[in-house]
């Protein structure tokens, strides 16, 4: 089931299988997947949703049938899991760090820096990486796309919730956002989608 929400709210997608039990460690691990290029009209929605999450507003609870997500504001400790790619990943990491949430960098098993993008993206990646509490460097994969998919699945496998900056469309290539969302829903990880309805990527 897909909820609908105003532009400043998250859209909540319920998983197709039962959600995972509460983490026994007491730390809620939040993973992210998302597009590298985020339309200007969507970015404020993404940032607002992520800030609400890290402020403990509980974006991940049942929408109660009204299309909006409700939280209990329990303020428990969080950990952010991200591959630090351009766009959604770097925004997520920066907002987590600003709010005092430790970040674990999940580095795909490929020549990752070579495929990150322009110089500004690479500088941001290295800056954020230096601030990460932990790094998980994954084993090499045959192709870059398979490495991206493996990293997305690693994040889902180790997360209690997944934030997806996603336009709702099928992934354009192996390991894209749609693939990771589909994997999370199949394995029972709750997914919160941050997007502005009606906006289409180029």
């Amino acid at each position: 089931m897909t909820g609908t929400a105003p532009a400043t709210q998250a859209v909540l997608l319920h998983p197709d299988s039962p959600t995972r039990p509460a983490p026994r460690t007491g730390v809620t691990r939040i993973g992210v997947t998302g597009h590298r290029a985020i339309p200007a009209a969507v970015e404020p929605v993404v940032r607002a949703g992520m800030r609400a999450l890290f402020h403990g507003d509980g974006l991940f609870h049942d929408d109660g049938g009204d299309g909006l997500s409700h939280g209990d504001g329990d303020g428990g400790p969080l950990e952010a899991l991200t591959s630090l790619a351009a766009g959604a990943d770097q925004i997520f990491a920066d907002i987590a760090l600003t709010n005092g949430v430790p970040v674990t960098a999940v580095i795909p098993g490929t020549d990752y820096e070579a495929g990150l993008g322009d110089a500004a993206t690479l500088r941001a990646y290295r800056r954020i990486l230096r601030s990460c509490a932990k790094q998980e460097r994954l084993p090499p994969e045959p192709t870059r796309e398979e490495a991206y998919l493996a990293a997305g699945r690693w994040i889902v496998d180790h997360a209690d919730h997944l934030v997806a900056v996603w336009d709702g469309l099928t992934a354009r290539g192996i390991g894209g956002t749609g693939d990771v969302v589909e994997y999370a829903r199949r394995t029972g990880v709750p997914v919160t989608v941050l997007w502005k309805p009606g906006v289409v990527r180029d």
Side-chain angles (χ1 to χ4, degrees), residues 118-200:
D118 59 21
T121 299
L122 181 57
R123 286 194 301 271
Y125 167 80
R126 291 174 174 171
R127 171 183 57 78
I128 298 168
L129 190 62
R130 289 193 296 269
S131 297
C132 287
K134 293 185 287 186
Q135 297 180 28
E136 292 287 344
R137 295 187 176 270
L138 302 186
E141 297 288 342
T143 67
R144 181 172 290 165
E145 289 75 16
E146 288 172 285
Y148 294 162
L149 180 58
R153 287 183 170 179
W154 192 100
I155 287 172
V156 171
D157 289 341
H158 292 81
D160 301 294
H161 305 284
L162 183 73
V163 174
V165 180
W166 182 44
D167 60 6
L169 301 179
T170 302
R172 295 178 180 179
I174 295 173
T177 303
D179 288 343
V180 179
V181 171
E182 190 277 332
Y183 179 72
R185 296 175 74 186
R186 190 170 73 243
T187 56
V189 177
V191 179
T192 292
V193 175
L194 298 177
W195 199 259
K196 185 173 182 178
V199 178
V200 180

Side-chain angles (χ1 to χ4, degrees), residues 2-13 35 37-50 163-169 192-202:
T2 302
T4 58
T8 56
Q9 295 285 343
V11 177
L12 181 66
L13 295 185
H35 302 308
I38 302 174
V42 175
E43 187 169 331
V45 177
V46 170
R47 290 184 178 276
M50 290 180 180
V163 174
V165 180
W166 182 44
D167 60 6
L169 301 179
T192 292
V193 175
L194 298 177
W195 199 259
K196 185 173 182 178
V199 178
V200 180
R201 289 189 297 147
D202 293 335

Side-chain angles (χ1 to χ4, degrees), residues 27-44:
V27 177
T28 300
R29 294 178 174 86
I30 313 299
V32 69
T33 185
H35 302 308
R36 295 187 179 205
I38 302 174
V42 175
E43 187 169 331

Side-chain angles (χ1 to χ4, degrees), residues 78-149:
L78 302 174
E79 178 184 351
L81 309 178
T82 167
S83 289
L84 304 183
D89 279 59
Q90 292 188 358
I91 293 172
F92 179 81
D94 271 332
I95 293 175
L97 291 168
T98 297
N99 284 275
V101 175
V103 174
T104 293
V106 181
I107 311 303
T110 184
D111 185 3
Y112 193 45
E113 289 196 0
L116 276 173
D118 59 21
T121 299
L122 181 57
R123 286 194 301 271
Y125 167 80
R126 291 174 174 171
R127 171 183 57 78
I128 298 168
L129 190 62
R130 289 193 296 269
S131 297
C132 287
K134 293 185 287 186
Q135 297 180 28
E136 292 287 344
R137 295 187 176 270
L138 302 186
E141 297 288 342
T143 67
R144 181 172 290 165
E145 289 75 16
E146 288 172 285
Y148 294 162
L149 180 58

